[in-house]
Amino acid sequence: MEVVIGVLIFVIALFAVITLVRSVRIVPQQRHDVVERLGKYKRTLSPGLNLLVPFVDTVRTKVDMRENVVSFPPQPVITSDNLVVSIDTVLYFKVVDPVRATYEIANFLQAIEQLTVTTLRNVIGSLDLERALTSREEINRHLSGVLDETTGRWGVKVTRVEIKAIEPPPSIRDSMEKQMRAERDRRAAILTAEGVKQSQILTAEGDKQSAVLRADGDRQARILTAEGQAKAIRTVFHAIHEANPSQKVLAYQYLQALPQIANGSANKVWIVPTELTRALEGMGGALGGLANMVGDLPTGKVDAAAVEREAAEAAEAAAKEAAAVNAQVRAAEAQVSGDTGPRSLAAPPTVPPSAALGGADYNGVGEPERA
């Protein structure tokens, strides 16, 4: 009897514990439990401590109210230009009504996956490959609109749909890589040509500016040189006319300048006729006559008109004598070219400066005999 009473007490205690456990339900945050009473929806348990009628109320489903992320496997889709591409999608959704998510559809996650695949095929089927690769935002918006409209009656909110990857066939990828490589090469060639063009333009501008500056510098240098020469000539001319040197000295200076004229780079052959002595004597006489025109003593005051007149007469006399010497040289060249055998020309006699200056004491001493 005591054993029966002990077993009965144990059964009653166990029943009380089970009843207590089934009547108390603790729901965590961001979760809702759907409760059915005798197979019919009764209520939804909110987060916290909740009491149930034991053996009458049961929890049908435990719905997670947080936002969920689902990545669907790659789906083959045909584009409008008959190319098969593989598309990976990522879906973001959350349950807003646990009752409808439980009773309106059996498996809302599978339904969302199939709806995404069919909608994606419809959208990609109306686009070609190039537009499908560059229109991800448009595809995402279209998918989000269709899924949100359809899943709204299921108590599910699709927050975002993303196209993770669009993989064209390998042959198409090779063609696209070749096309992109050719486009990059074309852009590189254009940029190189633009750089060469700009470099040449800048080089030409620099050469132009340097040439202009160089020409301006040469012009300034020539102007300064000419001004310096003019100033030097004026200084020398003024000094000569202030000193009023003797014409014999000027004639002697002229004779000293003749060897410098003969040493020019263009003077290769000199034909000296015997008549050159008489020409030099004539020039000396002319210069001597000029010496008799003006006194040898310097004067303190210079007459500018007289100096110009004297310079003009001296230039005219020198020009006449030069013409006579040139005619004699031409005649000598004609004689030499007309001879059939070799002919030696006698050296001209040395004319002292006193004879060239018109001195009366020169009597021909030291003159060699003519051949």
Side-chain angles (χ1 to χ4, degrees):
M1 189 65 183
E2 294 178 358
V3 175
V4 174
I5 295 173
V7 172
L8 183 61
I9 294 173
F10 177 76
V11 171
I12 293 173
L14 181 61
F15 179 78
V17 171
I18 294 174
T19 302
L20 181 62
V21 171
R22 291 180 64 89
S23 62
V24 177
R25 180 60 58 102
I26 298 175
V27 179
Q29 186 68 29
Q30 291 295 328
R31 199 184 79 180
H32 288 73
D33 294 348
V34 178
V35 177
E36 293 181 351
R37 179 172 292 179
L38 301 177
K40 183 180 179 181
Y41 170 75
K42 178 61 178 177
R43 63 192 179 109
T44 302
L45 301 181
S46 60
L49 180 62
N50 296 274
L51 298 177
L52 300 177
V53 178
F55 306 106
V56 177
D57 295 340
T58 58
V59 177
R60 169 69 183 272
T61 56
K62 299 176 181 179
V63 181
D64 191 354
M65 304 299 292
R66 293 175 297 179
E67 187 173 3
N68 297 305
V69 181
V70 179
S71 178
F72 297 139
Q75 299 294 328
V77 181
I78 301 176
T79 61
S80 62
D81 48 356
N82 296 325
L83 293 176
V84 179
V85 295
S86 179
I87 300 180
D88 296 345
T89 56
V90 178
L91 181 66
Y92 297 83
F93 71 94
K94 63 183 300 184
V95 177
V96 295
D97 191 345
V99 178
R100 286 190 296 175
T102 302
Y103 296 102
E104 292 293 336
I105 190 168
N107 190 344
F108 64 86
L109 186 59
Q110 184 179 2
I112 291 174
E113 180 182 358
Q114 296 301 321
L115 182 61
T116 302
V117 172
T118 54
T119 306
L120 190 61
R121 287 179 178 176
N122 291 333
V123 174
I124 299 297
S126 61
L127 303 175
D128 56 3
L129 178 60
E130 184 175 0
R131 188 177 176 186
L133 292 174
T134 58
S135 303
R136 292 193 178 188
E137 293 295 332
E138 181 180 354
I139 297 173
N140 293 336
R141 287 195 301 270
H142 191 77
L143 285 174
S144 298
V146 173
L147 292 175
D148 188 46
E149 181 181 359
T150 304
T151 59
R153 62 176 182 269
W154 299 340
V156 179
K157 173 67 175 179
V158 176
T159 58
R160 192 171 183 180
V161 180
E162 290 290 340
I163 302 297
K164 185 166 64 175
I166 300 177
E167 296 292 337
S171 59
I172 300 300
R173 287 201 300 267
D174 295 339
S175 300
M176 293 172 63
E177 290 177 359
K178 292 179 181 179
Q179 182 180 1
M180 293 174 63
R181 190 179 302 111
E183 181 67 20
R184 291 191 182 97
D185 293 340
R186 183 182 69 85
R187 292 179 181 178
I190 291 175
L191 292 177
T192 303
E194 289 290 338
V196 172
K197 175 183 176 182
Q198 293 295 330
S199 175
Q200 292 179 353
I201 290 175
L202 294 176
T203 302
E205 289 291 337
D207 293 340
K208 175 184 175 182
Q209 294 180 4
S210 63
V212 170
L213 294 176
R214 193 180 301 110
D216 186 69
D218 293 340
R219 181 178 66 86
Q220 295 292 337
R222 291 181 181 180
I223 290 174
L224 294 176
T225 302
E227 291 179 354
Q229 291 178 355
K231 187 174 181 180
I233 291 172
R234 286 197 301 268
T235 303
V236 173
F237 184 80
H238 181 71
I240 291 174
H241 285 80
E242 286 290 337
N244 192 15
S246 175
Q247 296 297 328
K248 295 179 180 181
V249 177
L250 297 178
Y252 181 72
Q253 292 292 330
Y254 176 78
L255 291 176
Q256 286 183 341
L258 288 179
Q260 298 179 1
I261 298 175
N263 290 330
S265 61
N267 299 330
K268 301 301 181 183
V269 179
W270 283 77
I271 300 175
V272 183
T274 56
E275 292 81 359
L276 182 59
T277 304
R278 292 194 298 271
L280 293 174
E281 291 177 356
M283 292 178 65
L287 293 175
L290 291 175
N292 296 326
M293 294 173 62
V294 183
D296 293 339
L297 297 176
T299 61
K301 185 177 181 181
V302 179
D303 188 0
V307 171
E308 293 180 359
R309 185 169 57 257
E310 292 173 4
E313 292 175 356
E316 183 178 0
K320 291 180 180 179
E321 292 298 333
V325 171
N326 190 15
Q328 293 177 4
V329 170
R330 296 298 181 188
E333 290 178 356
Q335 291 176 4
V336 172
S337 62
D339 293 342
T340 57
R343 180 182 177 184
S344 60
L345 297 176
T350 304
V351 181
S354 60
L357 295 175
D361 56 348
Y362 174 67
N363 53 6
V365 178
E367 179 181 359
E369 295 183 358
R370 291 193 178 99

